[in-house]
Amino acid sequence: MFQRPKGTRDFGPDEMAKRQWALDAMRRIAISRGFREIQMPTFEDLELFTKKSGPGIVDELYAFKDKGNRDIALRPEMTAQVMRFFVSDMASLPKPLKLFYFGPCFRYENPQSGRYREFYQFGAEIIGSNTPETDAEAVALASALIESIGLKNYIVRVGNISILRDMLKESKLSEEKISEGLHYLDKNDEDRFSQFAKENGLSEGRALSMKSVRNTKGGIEALDKLNLCGGKDYLKEFMECISLLGIGKCQLDLGIVRGLDYYTGMVFEIDAPSLGAEKQVAGGGSYDLVPLFGGEQVFTTGFAIGFDRVLLAREKESPLSISSGIDAYVIPMSDSSRRTALEIVGALRKAGLSVDFDMMRRSLSKNLKYAAAIEAKNAIILGDKELANGAAMLRNMGTGDQKEVKIDSLAKTISGNR
Ligand code: HAM
């Protein structure tokens, strides 16, 4: 027997019904806020993902040479792809350009609950508008998407990476060193950060104030305690937009650094505490990739939701039950009624109903059991006696009630009972 590759999953029909329901709900929300859907390939030139982060990231990727000896990688995320697509084909579209996307991503991770090697992201990017309300619109969409599938217990944490970044930049550190310092702060590894500060000529005062920025959390008033410059004013304005847009679950957390290297300004993460270790269900912020990919400087902000994780969290909160719920299952009772059954199936489908029928020529009791198992709302039983009257027995599978209905009226009766 074959085994699935490590870190991958199969999704059976019940699971797919839930995933499709969630995806439909999210798509509707994104479209209703003026975002339009795009799709990119699952693999790209490896360089698209190493250009910003350097070759070190290859260990975390599914990267390989194709038959033409090209270096290829399965996408670990989709933001770099959207930027490539924007530079090559979408740069002249009216701004702001509000895009969303859904699809599988691949990371060479150590699999555990909520962490997979193949996982799905639902993400969005806003291109070409540089205001606090633009960043707020990204966070507003992320939280509305999460709420659209009924998840209640989540928290949005927002920071501004430019504050810590600028403090390291002022100390004249290279981009690589800045990433290293931010990494220690991200992991809250105070000892390593202190050692890093010493080795790289950061004064004790600077290292201390960076640690206190890193630990700044809470409501907007937490900013007042900090003796800071521009990033703080931006965050204040941003938090005001968030509250005006009615997003209640947003807190400040200036320690947010994010794993990916491209963020430059506002950064945010959304946690679902019920998930434990892998509780981060979404992450994003404003970033700078377009010039690196050959385009003109343009403001970009966005996020991606971990689709699998957000569904896990939703199910933990209250289990989902999505019925496939076809309108009717047609059961011919004898060989002579099979042709009529097919005609009825064809006519009801043409009338817009969702209909299935007995293809295995089984007994009535087995068919009724099957109809219940697939959660059909009605069974249409074609007995010779009823057919002789131009009618069929319509059974409500929920209540078990049965009544004779003229074949011509089946579609209307079933639609009326929906
Ligand atoms: P990210 O934080 O790397 O950001 O991923 C976004 C979300 O994907 C995470 O919050 C998490 O829920 C989910 N995720 C990540 N890795 C895994 C995994 N191995 N298994 C299951 N879920 C996972 C990005 O990818 C950025 N592109 C987001 C962005 C868009 N920033 C700006 N625009």
Side-chain angles (χ1 to χ4, degrees):
M1 228 170 48
F2 287 109
Q3 299 273 324
R4 278 192 313 262
K6 195 172 161 184
T8 63
R9 289 152 303 151
D10 297 310
F11 301 108
D14 288 346
E15 191 63 28
M16 277 311 290
K18 293 177 191 176
R19 291 173 73 85
Q20 207 51 55
W21 168 83
L23 182 56
D24 287 349
M26 289 186 175
R27 276 205 172 107
R28 265 198 307 277
I29 289 288
I31 291 166
S32 75
R33 289 165 183 238
F35 288 79
R36 290 186 297 156
E37 185 161 10
I38 52 169
Q39 192 171 317
M40 289 79 59
T42 45
F43 61 87
E44 293 274 353
D45 287 340
L46 171 64
E47 202 191 349
L48 186 74
F49 305 112
T50 55
K51 190 132 180 131
K52 178 76 194 172
S53 305
I57 199 176
V58 175
D59 289 347
E60 295 164 33
L61 300 179
Y62 275 88
F64 52 94
K65 285 220 185 271
D66 73 3
K67 291 192 175 77
N69 209 31
R70 285 170 285 255
D71 285 306
I72 298 292
L74 300 185
R75 62 181 178 201
E77 56 109 32
M78 294 186 252
T79 305
Q81 294 190 294
V82 180
M83 294 303 110
R84 168 192 58 66
F85 189 12
F86 170 74
V87 171
S88 64
D89 292 282
M90 295 189 287
S92 59
L93 294 183
K95 312 288 179 308
L97 191 53
K98 297 171 87 177
L99 305 170
F100 76 96
Y101 49 83
F102 172 78
C105 297
F106 307 85
R107 296 184 189 180
Y108 200 78
E109 310 247 29
N110 256 339
Q112 49 182 285
S113 168
R115 181 177 288 272
Y116 314 101
R117 289 185 171 177
E118 182 188 35
F119 63 99
Y120 290 74
Q121 284 191 344
F122 189 108
E125 316 291 343
I126 307 177
I127 305 173
S129 172
N130 180 10
T131 56
E133 53 269 39
T134 309
D135 277 335
E137 172 73 339
V139 177
L141 176 63
S143 100
L145 291 172
I146 286 173
E147 296 207 347
S148 74
I149 63 157
L151 180 66
K152 295 192 174 62
N153 190 10
Y154 71 91
I155 183 84
V156 186
R157 293 176 295 111
V158 181
N160 189 340
I161 189 78
S162 75
I163 298 176
L164 290 171
R165 230 179 232 288
D166 287 351
M167 289 170 99
L168 289 169
K169 251 190 208 154
E170 280 163 23
S171 304
K172 309 248 173 319
L173 297 190
S174 67
E175 274 298 318
E176 230 166 76
K177 282 285 167 196
I178 291 176
S179 292
E180 188 185 333
L182 290 177
H183 175 75
Y184 299 137
L185 288 170
D186 185 28
K187 299 283 164 236
N188 205 9
D189 191 338
E190 295 229 350
D191 293 346
R192 294 287 293 278
F193 183 73
S194 300
Q195 196 186 334
F196 166 87
K198 235 184 242 160
E199 285 169 8
N200 290 284
L202 260 68
S203 69
E204 242 171 68
R206 171 55 50 106
L208 265 178
S209 58
M210 286 191 71
K211 282 183 200 167
S212 92
V213 169
R214 194 232 170 270
N215 292 324
T216 300
K217 293 183 175 42
I220 194 158
E221 67 289 345
L223 287 173
D224 296 332
K225 293 189 206 121
L226 288 176
N227 186 16
L228 285 174
C229 43
K232 180 165 136 178
D233 295 338
Y234 188 86
L235 266 184
K236 276 199 165 166
E237 219 181 315
F238 165 83
M239 288 297 273
E240 203 189 350
C241 298
I242 285 284
S243 117
L244 289 169
L245 282 170
I247 302 152
K249 299 188 174 193
C250 203
Q251 288 182 1
L252 281 175
D253 180 353
L254 297 194
I256 297 177
V257 166
R258 310 275 305 123
L260 297 155
D261 284 322
Y262 45 62
Y263 296 99
T264 49
M266 185 278 293
V267 278
F268 75 101
E269 291 177 349
I270 303 184
D271 298 335
S274 66
L275 291 183
E278 300 302 326
K279 63 175 191 271
Q280 200 188 112
V281 293
S286 59
Y287 57 91
D288 196 14
L289 276 176
V290 171
L292 194 70
F293 293 170
E296 285 180 12
Q297 190 81 44
V298 59
F299 187 81
T300 42
T301 189
F303 66 87
I305 288 183
F307 185 76
D308 313 272
R309 280 191 199 168
V310 89
L311 265 179
L312 270 179
R314 166 64 174 83
E315 287 259 46
K316 272 206 162 162
E317 220 169 76
S318 56
L320 266 173
S321 131
I322 308 291
S323 145
S324 59
I326 56 166
D327 292 312
Y329 182 74
V330 179
I331 307 171
M333 295 282 287
S334 63
D335 286 342
S336 59
S337 54
R338 277 184 221 297
R339 292 172 69 94
T340 317
L342 292 182
E343 273 171 9
I344 291 174
V345 168
L348 292 179
R349 284 176 175 168
K350 272 204 186 106
L353 296 175
S354 50
V355 179
D356 194 3
F357 66 100
D358 170 37
M359 291 181 285
M360 292 179 66
R361 306 188 175 187
R362 287 190 290 206
S363 68
L364 176 63
S365 65
K366 284 199 170 138
N367 267 317
L368 286 177
K369 229 174 170 177
Y370 180 74
I374 61 167
E375 297 177 17
K377 294 190 187 93
N378 298 283
I380 298 171
I381 303 163
L382 303 178
D384 291 342
K385 198 175 108 221
E386 289 81 14
L387 281 179
N389 288 338
M393 194 61 85
L394 181 65
R395 181 185 178 95
N396 179 319
M397 292 299 295
T399 60
D401 294 343
Q402 295 196 161
K403 64 176 174 190
E404 204 175 296
V405 175
K406 289 282 180 210
I407 288 174
D408 291 348
S409 310
L410 275 170
K412 212 169 151 207
T413 310
I414 293 170
S415 305
N417 292 344
R418 258 178 174 170

